[in-house]
Amino acid sequence: MEPQQLAEAAGSSRHAPAGISLHDFCGQAGEQLVHFHAMRLRDSLFLWVGAEPALRSLAVAMCSPHDSIPVSTSLLGDASDATSNSLAQRLARKTKKQIFVSYNLQNTDSSFILHIENRIKEEMMAFPEKF
Amino acid sequence: MAAKPIVTSKQREEVVRGVPTEVVCTAFSNSILVVVTQYGKMGTLVSVDPSTITSDISKPSLTTKVLLGTDEPLIHVCAKNLVTFVSQEAGNKPVLLAIALKDKSMEGIKALQELIRSCQVW
């Protein structure tokens, strides 16, 4: 997106804050270029993370009044891969929103995922209206 | 870092039979994500899969499975009616459908089909 379009998109989102907003960004994690696709809905967020455009897993998490750790469940893909789950939980705790995460990278090292999480948080700080 | 999107999305907002409605379609390499909402939320998440075991390859039967939300018969009917054509036109790809509808009438569903078609990313 060109800067001018970005500005327009930000402007229109101010007029209609209830509407769904889409936001693409990317980041370098180690050697790898990682793409992000965020869709902000009412009180919820769908976030896709991947290097190629496939949707292989999906988890959802939300805060619970009964537990300090947000509750989460795996909706799609390999249930033994907890990466989407734990990322959704951490973002739910930060944003207090219902969070859908689709994490589609081979690398599931905790340090790598921390890097990914920090990139997401950085973007959330820069474009809070998009999340 | 500036992003050239790796996935394609199209979005429409329209009043359908008096109800403000939003549709977002996103094309992934292995599936299509379709969000149809009259509440602004994801609502019920339904996986719509073309089954491979069929006598007629060109028109496979679709299996619907509720991944999140109330698993009621009407949801399956709505899901099949809304996105069967999406799956077929995308070359029999599975569709992940998020629906939150106030108006589940047949006329409403037909109008929503057209709205989904206007967000063609497949």
Side-chain angles (χ1 to χ4, degrees):
Chain A
M1 217 185 243
E2 298 300 315
Q4 196 187 342
Q5 281 177 288
L6 262 177
E8 281 169 12
S12 65
S13 76
R14 264 200 300 278
H15 291 297
I20 296 174
S21 115
L22 301 172
H23 182 55
D24 290 276
F25 57 103
C26 55
Q28 196 79 29
E31 301 272 284
Q32 196 164 28
L33 178 64
V34 179
H35 294 265
F36 300 85
H37 177 78
M39 174 163 51
R40 192 218 57 218
L41 297 103
R42 188 173 299 164
D43 304 323
S44 56
L45 174 75
F46 172 93
L47 180 68
W48 174 91
V49 183
E52 43 173 295
L55 181 86
R56 290 201 189 85
S57 82
L58 185 63
V60 63
M62 54 203 286
C63 290
S64 152
H66 308 294
D67 202 338
S68 60
I69 300 164
V71 288
S72 75
T73 187
S74 179
L75 300 172
L76 205 70
D78 187 357
S80 66
D81 175 17
T83 315
S84 293
N85 255 306
S86 60
L87 193 54
Q89 278 181 323
R90 286 201 295 271
L91 294 174
R93 179 139 67 176
K94 179 179 162 60
T95 62
K96 309 289 176 222
K97 288 181 175 186
Q98 182 186 38
I99 307 278
F100 293 83
V101 169
S102 173
Y103 183 88
N104 303 277
L105 296 165
Q106 297 289 328
N107 194 337
T108 54
D109 292 347
S110 54
S111 61
F112 183 83
I113 293 165
L114 193 64
H115 209 82
I116 297 288
E117 195 183 329
N118 287 338
R119 178 67 189 89
I120 296 165
K121 287 178 176 169
E122 185 187 297
E123 196 76 6
M124 284 177 164
M125 292 280 279
F127 302 96
E129 75 283 2
K130 296 288 182 188
F131 291 90
Chain B
M1 196 186 275
K4 189 183 179 298
I6 189 173
V7 288
T8 318
S9 278
K10 278 191 188 167
Q11 181 176 14
R12 277 288 288 273
E13 207 177 330
E14 212 166 274
V15 177
V16 178
R17 286 166 47 90
V19 187
T21 309
E22 285 186 272
V23 170
V24 182
C25 294
T26 308
F28 294 95
S29 59
N30 60 343
S31 65
I32 312 287
L33 172 66
V34 177
V35 178
V36 184
T37 183
Q38 295 176 331
Y39 287 94
K41 305 191 175 209
M42 294 281 269
T44 308
L45 211 56
V46 190
S47 141
V48 183
D49 272 297
S51 92
T52 44
I53 311 152
T54 173
S55 50
D56 186 358
I57 296 280
S58 63
K59 286 245 165 79
S61 63
L62 287 156
T63 313
T64 46
K65 189 179 163 200
V66 173
L67 302 179
L68 186 70
T70 317
D71 191 347
E72 54 179 19
L74 189 56
I75 282 290
H76 294 263
V77 176
C78 289
K80 279 190 187 173
N81 273 286
L82 283 174
V83 297
T84 295
F85 82 93
V86 175
S87 174
Q88 283 171 358
E89 290 181 11
N92 296 321
K93 272 187 190 165
V95 176
L96 187 61
L97 174 67
I99 32 175
L101 300 183
K102 289 179 183 174
D103 175 13
K104 292 174 191 160
S105 67
M106 201 57 227
E107 293 78 14
I109 297 289
K110 280 203 181 117
L112 292 174
Q113 271 181 2
E114 289 315 305
L115 201 54
I116 294 171
R117 189 179 290 283
S118 73
C119 296
Q120 187 168 357
V121 288
W122 47 90

